[in-house]
Amino acid sequence: MGVIAVTPPMLLGLVAVFVIARVVLTTRPVRAGSAGRSTNFAREYLDPFIYAGIAAFLLITFVARTYYIPSESMVPTLKVGDVLLVNKFEYRFHAPNEGDIVVFPPPVPTTDDFIKRVIGRPGDTLRIKSGVVYLNGKALYEPYIAQPPAYNLVIKSYGIYVDTGIGFQRLDPAGANIPPRNEWTAPDRIPKNCYFMMGDNRNNSEDSHIWGFAQTTGNFATGAEAGKPAHFTGHSFLIFWPLNHARIL
């Protein structure tokens, strides 16, 4: 269900390999008839990789981050093996928008971030009925999903209620992140700093209909990660690999 980060140390290690190769080629003894070939090879082939690697390292460290998709929870939008760029700065300047594809730590124990789509934001009303998501009373047009959700859901009475065929059951705060009443502005509206997240592969996605709300700030209120810091890592804005699937999200 998570995404795997391509970390700066991995990239830095690759750059180091190119730098070592560059040094070896330009300092080895020159044999007759080969003067200048090693240096030219290094300049033409290794230097561009070194410069690009350093630029990518700075980009990943300070501006964006690269993630690999290992699961099918966002199919058909994101496929297994896709590599994404995630903007780490964007949400410092504005709140997440409806429809954004976001990387974030979920309120469940995991070593990886999750990636889901923002469906409901603070102050929104939300329900799912007969496979249709209604946001603030209006049906969402969702051409990006794999299939309609096979469950009904409603946010009401300061909780999230889900019906998988046996009637509506409230998500248990012991296992889901459901803020206390004093953090809700109304019993049927998503609380402040909270977001309702869903995978595009609706019936094969561990998302807010299971573990409650994601949060942009503060600490998780309840659930397995109660008390731990919550945040959004960033906004996924580009698939850059494989090339036949590359596009702006």
Side-chain angles (χ1 to χ4, degrees), residues 2-206:
V3 286
I4 299 173
V6 179
T7 63
M10 296 178 188
L11 186 59
L12 204 56
L14 185 59
V15 172
V17 170
F18 287 127
V19 170
I20 292 170
R22 171 72 156 93
V23 171
V24 170
L25 284 173
T26 54
T27 59
R28 70 179 185 178
V30 178
R31 289 179 291 183
S34 64
R37 291 181 184 175
S38 296
T39 300
N40 290 337
F41 177 87
R43 288 176 178 171
E44 291 181 18
Y45 296 99
L46 292 180
D47 285 1
F49 283 106
I50 293 171
Y51 299 146
I54 292 173
F57 173 77
L58 295 174
L59 180 71
I60 290 172
T61 302
F62 299 107
V63 180
R65 195 166 184 181
T66 309
Y67 285 87
Y68 169 83
I69 301 298
S71 73
E72 297 182 344
S73 69
M74 284 295 292
V75 168
T77 306
L78 303 176
K79 296 179 171 59
V80 174
D82 282 353
V83 182
L84 316 175
L85 275 183
V86 174
N87 187 325
K88 299 194 298 182
F89 269 158
E90 182 175 343
Y91 294 144
R92 297 185 183 186
F93 303 104
H94 68 81
N97 296 312
E98 176 196 327
D100 281 1
I101 298 174
V102 177
V103 173
F104 61 98
V108 293
T110 177
T111 56
D112 296 322
D113 283 351
F114 276 17
I115 184 165
K116 306 292 176 186
R117 188 181 295 272
V118 173
I119 300 298
R121 299 177 293 172
D124 287 341
T125 64
L126 188 143
R127 66 186 177 98
I128 301 172
K129 183 177 180 181
S130 301
V132 179
V133 177
Y134 294 87
L135 185 68
N136 298 319
K138 297 181 179 180
L140 291 183
Y141 174 62
E142 300 187 292
Y144 45 75
I145 64 173
Q147 72 287 115
Y151 52 86
N152 295 321
L153 180 147
V154 64
I155 295 176
K156 65 176 184 177
S157 303
Y158 305 100
I160 300 173
Y161 293 77
V162 182
D163 176 14
T164 58
I166 58 174
F168 281 100
Q169 303 292 321
R170 187 176 190 267
L171 290 188
D172 186 353
N177 183 43
I178 310 293
R181 289 192 178 195
N182 63 352
E183 296 187 17
W184 294 63
T185 57
D188 62 345
R189 293 187 178 275
I190 296 174
K192 61 183 180 181
N193 299 325
C194 291
Y195 290 78
F196 194 91
M197 315 296 292
M198 299 181 76
D200 290 354
N201 195 358
R202 291 288 159 84
N203 298 315
N204 188 24
S205 174
E206 183 179 333

